[in-house]
Amino acid sequence: RLLVAFTGLEGDVQSLADELSVQLSAKAGRSSGFGFGRSHSAGGRGVNGRVIAPSCMAALTSNIMYRRRRSPYYVEPIIC
């Protein structure tokens, strides 16, 4: 199971959530098969039926936020 929550500026929260959704959808197009976002599939599973681990989601979120370090997202992620 995976829980992802953000607190901070609403626009930044939405932008980061969209960026995560795009990145995970791109990974689903590859062979890794992770899914996230607005698809309401059963059991917390992704597009291809695979589950992303919280540690993988934390690493992906960290990488996205680090790339934006010059103009950062003003958000606090909570991933568990």
Side-chain angles (χ1 to χ4, degrees), residues 5-56:
F6 301 107
T7 184
L9 296 177
E10 183 65 28
D12 287 348
V13 168
Q14 290 176 354
S15 294
L16 182 57
D18 289 343
E19 178 70 21
L20 281 169
S21 180
V22 166
Q23 291 290 323
L24 289 170
S25 294
K27 288 184 184 302
R30 296 185 225 152
S31 61
S32 65
F34 293 124
F36 174 75
R38 295 178 178 93
S39 66
H40 299 289
S41 53
R45 296 187 180 276
V47 176
N48 293 334
R50 297 184 71 186
V51 178
I52 185 168
S55 61
C56 293

Side-chain angles (χ1 to χ4, degrees), residues 2 9 12 20 29 34 40 42 52 54 61 64 67 72 76-77 79-80:
L2 176 69
L9 296 177
D12 287 348
L20 281 169
F34 293 124
H40 299 289
I52 185 168
T61 304
I64 290 171
R67 281 187 288 183
E76 284 290 324
I79 301 171
C80 56

